[in-house]
Amino acid sequence: EPSVARLRLACATEDGVPVSCLADVGGERLELSDDGSFSMIDVPLPRGKVQASLSLRVAAPQFIQVPPFETSLSCDRATEVIAYVRPCDVRLTAVAKGNILKKATLQLIRVDANGDDDEIRVVQPGSRVAVDVGAEYRVQASARGHRQVGLLKTFIATPETFLKQPGPVSLAVDMAPDVGAVDLAVLDVVGRPVRHARVTVTYERLPSLYLGHRRGVQELPLDGSDELDVDVTCDEAGYVQVSQQRVRVKAGRLRKTSIILRRSDIVLRAIDARTGATLRALE
């Protein structure tokens, strides 16, 4: 008659948190609860054997089993085993020039077999979010003054990804500046501010940007370019712009820009045609 070994089995994370799962014990299925209790199963041993090694596999949504995947059983005692699993968590951040963008908006999007968005989750930067092993995902990130340049392709959450190290897998989305800035001043030829002059920034491909009376640091969109040439023009009655209009704006850079205006007043004199004397205006 074949010998039988008794196995007491439970499932938990590596830090001891119980997990409900489905176990495969030598080809027999067994459901394990997350209340921390052990489930008992009698496992037949090969004929003539009093002990043997047994393959042990557990499966739980958004968890991956960690080694060992075998256990030794004996017919003269009950064997108590905890199968350990690891959460399949990722930690998303948006990074620009080595700095974390804490106010970035991140979306983790699950993609179906047709390449369409199946599930969209908004993720707080730096927080943990669980993923399904074998599923395909993409990340969409946005941040003021930046554009996404990394993690533009979909990726598949593979078991190897989470077996390499404990803890969540860090995914950093590279972002690049999508705005430049000018430190704007409007002055007359002797350096005095002309406060009422109205400023407009004109692009070749984008709509014009009206700055009006604004001065100081002003952000300018670059439409995904690393740099753009723009025309900064000024309109004020009684003045003409004498400084260069075209300015090169670079992403992530601040350029000091001064618009110089000269008064366009004219002086009228009445001259006697016979004597050449200047005539006084009549009041």
Side-chain angles (χ1 to χ4, degrees):
E1 184 174 323
S3 299
V4 174
R6 179 154 291 180
L7 174 65
R8 300 181 70 242
L9 182 62
C11 181
T13 63
E14 292 163 293
D15 51 4
V17 179
V19 175
S20 62
C21 70
L22 183 64
D24 187 325
V25 182
E28 185 170 344
R29 297 294 182 91
L30 179 67
E31 291 187 3
L32 306 180
S33 68
D34 59 359
D35 60 3
S37 63
F38 286 83
S39 297
M40 189 172 298
I41 182 174
D42 289 332
V43 180
L45 299 179
R47 185 176 297 275
K49 300 287 186 179
V50 294
Q51 60 182 17
S53 294
L54 181 71
S55 171
L56 178 62
R57 290 287 182 171
V58 296
Q62 299 177 340
F63 287 88
I64 187 72
Q65 185 182 0
V66 296
F69 302 122
E70 291 186 353
T71 188
S72 296
L73 301 179
S74 175
C75 65
D76 59 359
R77 59 182 172 82
T79 302
E80 194 169 276
V81 175
I82 298 178
Y84 289 103
V85 293
R86 181 175 295 167
C88 296
D89 292 347
V90 296
R91 177 175 282 128
L92 289 177
T93 55
V95 179
K97 295 184 177 180
N99 299 315
I100 295 177
L101 304 178
K102 296 181 179 180
K103 295 185 178 181
T105 300
L106 297 168
Q107 292 183 337
L108 182 64
I109 303 170
R110 179 169 173 156
V111 180
D112 62 20
N114 296 321
D116 298 324
D117 295 349
D118 181 43
E119 179 188 27
I120 301 176
R121 282 182 283 178
V122 178
V123 181
Q124 292 297 322
S127 62
R128 299 171 63 145
V129 57
V131 298
D132 295 313
V133 175
E136 189 173 5
Y137 293 90
R138 68 182 181 90
V139 177
Q140 186 169 304
S142 60
R144 183 177 180 270
H146 292 79
R147 58 188 172 91
Q148 181 177 349
V149 295
L151 283 182
L152 297 175
K153 296 182 180 180
T154 60
F155 66 93
I156 296 176
T158 64
E160 292 75 19
T161 303
F162 303 97
L163 290 175
K164 291 178 182 178
Q165 63 182 41
V169 174
S170 295
L171 297 177
V173 185
D174 288 328
M175 308 289 286
D178 197 31
V179 296
V182 293
D183 187 359
L184 182 63
V186 181
L187 311 170
D188 64 14
V189 291
V190 296
R192 292 173 300 194
V194 184
R195 305 187 185 281
H196 298 292
R198 297 177 299 276
V199 179
T200 302
V201 178
T202 305
Y203 294 81
E204 290 184 1
R205 301 190 307 268
L206 297 177
S208 297
L209 179 64
Y210 179 68
L211 297 180
H213 301 143
R214 285 181 283 173
R215 303 293 188 265
V217 177
Q218 305 295 327
E219 289 187 349
L220 303 179
L222 297 182
D223 194 30
S225 301
D226 293 330
E227 59 182 45
L228 280 181
D229 290 332
V230 300
D231 289 326
V232 182
T233 56
C234 196
D235 180 26
E236 174 64 0
Y239 287 88
V240 61
Q241 182 172 339
V242 295
S243 60
Q244 183 178 355
Q245 294 184 1
R246 178 138 301 189
V247 174
R248 177 160 294 180
V249 182
K250 296 183 178 181
R253 303 285 295 275
L254 176 64
R255 174 167 179 159
K256 191 172 183 62
T257 303
S258 296
I259 299 176
I260 307 301
L261 303 179
R262 176 178 292 157
R263 290 199 63 87
S264 56
D265 297 341
I266 60 174
V267 178
L268 296 177
R269 292 188 180 93
I271 299 175
D272 190 303
R274 291 175 298 173
T275 65
T278 300
L279 302 177
R280 295 179 61 184
L282 297 178
E283 296 187 4

